Amino acid sequence: MQFLEHHLIYEESFWGHDVRLRHITQGSNTLVVFFPGQNYSCELPVLHYAVQSATSQGMDALILEYGYQSARVALEREHRSILEDEVLQTVRRWSEGYEQLVFVSKSLGTLLAGYTAKHLSNRNIRHLYLTPLDSTLTYMQHSAGMVIYGTKDSLFSEESRAKLVSCPDLKIYKVPEAGHGLEISDPRKSAELMSGLVEEYIRFFSSLVEETYHS
């Protein structure tokens, strides 16, 4: 049995503050990279339990922070390309030596995960898209894995949802009544919802472990 090792990594950023990455290792040949939302860190429930689910299935994890987040400033539109490049270079550097990559992303992170995968086209990458944006659809159409969204998410339109049928390699999981945070107003129902999400996470990661084992 492998023990989890937690590594803190600090890297320079355009925004003048070092970003803090967390690298959780246990000797796996699969690295799961977590791309947080614009204002939704990996310490918050939707991503926190995804990290726990991945490591419970024996996978290594790389948990990202963005430069503007560490600097505690807003992301300006004109700096978007800088963020894309910083994230790409970080993932490229820390994914060396892994046979398989899994990108778990939320909201803005779904765009960054799609961009990164596009520029790592020689790598074996699966995606878990959480609450994607309409503009993520371009990337999802060329992805394999799973997408999870709430039926009351105003940032993912009915038009985009309908187009998901043209993504045959993506399994779709709809969360009834949930908004962009994958929460609902009733706290008890939100807790039940999160429990259901964790089950989906574990099924997703365990299926990848099975695929790797039988390949």
Side-chain angles (χ1 to χ4, degrees):
M1 178 179 178
Q2 291 282 348
F3 292 96
L4 294 179
E5 294 185 5
H6 295 257
H7 311 272
L8 282 179
I9 304 159
Y10 292 90
E11 295 192 340
E12 292 182 357
S13 167
F14 163 83
W15 283 268
H17 289 253
D18 288 354
V19 294
R20 188 186 75 161
L21 314 175
R22 287 193 289 145
H23 192 197
I24 304 173
T25 61
Q26 52 186 324
S28 177
N29 60 10
T30 298
L31 178 68
V32 186
V33 183
F34 291 86
F35 298 76
Q38 182 162 342
N39 298 303
Y40 196 99
S41 77
C42 292
E43 280 72 42
L44 294 174
V46 171
L47 290 173
H48 171 74
Y49 288 112
V51 173
Q52 286 195 335
S53 299
T55 57
S56 76
Q57 298 304 305
M59 297 174 172
D60 288 2
L62 179 67
I63 301 163
L64 301 179
E65 180 184 54
Y66 307 139
Y68 74 89
Q69 292 175 334
S70 64
R72 304 294 188 266
V73 297
L75 175 63
E76 303 294 340
R77 184 180 297 271
E78 60 267 25
H79 294 154
R80 169 78 174 276
S81 62
I82 296 171
L83 177 61
E84 290 173 338
D85 187 62
E86 284 195 354
V87 169
L88 171 61
Q89 298 310 321
T90 294
V91 175
R92 177 176 280 145
R93 182 161 48 250
W94 291 101
S95 65
E96 287 184 8
Y98 286 96
E99 295 177 12
Q100 182 179 44
L101 300 179
V102 183
F103 287 176
V104 178
S105 56
K106 187 179 188 315
S107 193
L108 169 70
T110 64
L111 292 172
L112 296 170
Y115 176 89
T116 301
K118 179 181 177 181
H119 289 81
L120 297 177
S121 56
N122 62 324
R123 303 298 300 272
N124 178 20
I125 300 172
R126 296 298 178 90
H127 288 267
L128 175 54
Y129 290 108
L130 304 170
T131 67
L133 305 173
D134 287 335
S135 45
T136 314
L137 189 67
T138 303
Y139 295 120
M140 291 195 290
Q141 289 171 332
H142 304 283
S143 300
M146 186 176 187
V147 55
I148 297 177
Y149 66 86
T151 60
K152 291 193 172 181
D153 187 347
S154 60
L155 298 181
F156 193 53
S157 68
E158 290 292 344
E159 182 181 359
S160 292
R161 298 173 199 184
K163 289 179 179 177
L164 283 178
V165 297
S166 66
C167 306
D169 295 323
L170 281 179
K171 178 185 175 184
I172 301 166
Y173 181 75
K174 305 174 189 177
V175 183
E177 304 301 310
H180 193 63
L182 292 180
E183 295 178 340
I184 50 182
S185 57
D186 185 317
R188 289 188 179 89
K189 290 183 179 178
S190 279
E192 292 173 5
L193 183 158
M194 188 57 58
S195 178
L197 274 180
V198 170
E199 292 302 319
E200 288 299 321
Y201 292 161
I202 291 175
R203 267 194 286 271
F204 173 74
F205 292 121
S206 62
S207 70
L208 296 181
V209 171
E210 284 293 313
E211 281 183 25
T212 303
Y213 179 77
H214 291 295
S215 63

